[in-house]
Amino acid sequence: TKWTYLEQKEWETIEDDIAALEEKGQTLQSAMAENASDFAQLTQLQQELDNAEAALAEKWERWEYLSQFAKD
């Protein structure tokens, strides 16, 4: 099976996307530590972290799928 044009373009940027999401997660965790006493801010940051972690999991799944084509 060959890549579509869009899959090829996605493969070219997916590792950068993953790195950016990992960095965002680390930044949010640091912000949570700094705002540990502010419940409202902490709740917002936790929601953002949850969203970033979900997006990261999706990117990793997509990376695994696309990497099968890279091996062929």
Side-chain angles (χ1 to χ4, degrees):
T1 306
K2 295 287 183 181
W3 278 343
T4 65
Y5 175 78
L6 292 177
E7 288 172 334
Q8 175 66 36
K9 287 297 181 185
E10 183 180 9
W11 179 251
E12 292 172 1
T13 61
I14 199 164
E15 290 182 355
D16 290 338
D17 296 344
I18 288 170
L21 286 167
E22 288 175 339
E23 185 175 329
K24 182 176 182 176
Q26 291 172 349
T27 301
L28 288 168
Q29 288 176 349
S30 294
M32 288 173 70
E34 293 171 8
N35 293 286
S37 62
D38 183 347
F39 181 75
Q41 182 69 19
L42 195 57
T43 301
Q44 179 184 352
L45 290 168
Q46 182 62 54
Q47 182 63 41
E48 289 180 41
L49 180 59
D50 291 346
N51 292 340
E53 288 176 344
L56 181 60
E58 288 176 19
K59 284 290 183 183
W60 273 118
E61 287 177 23
R62 190 68 179 153
W63 181 90
E64 288 179 25
Y65 171 77
L66 292 172
S67 70
Q68 296 173 11
F69 294 116
K71 296 176 185 175
D72 293 340

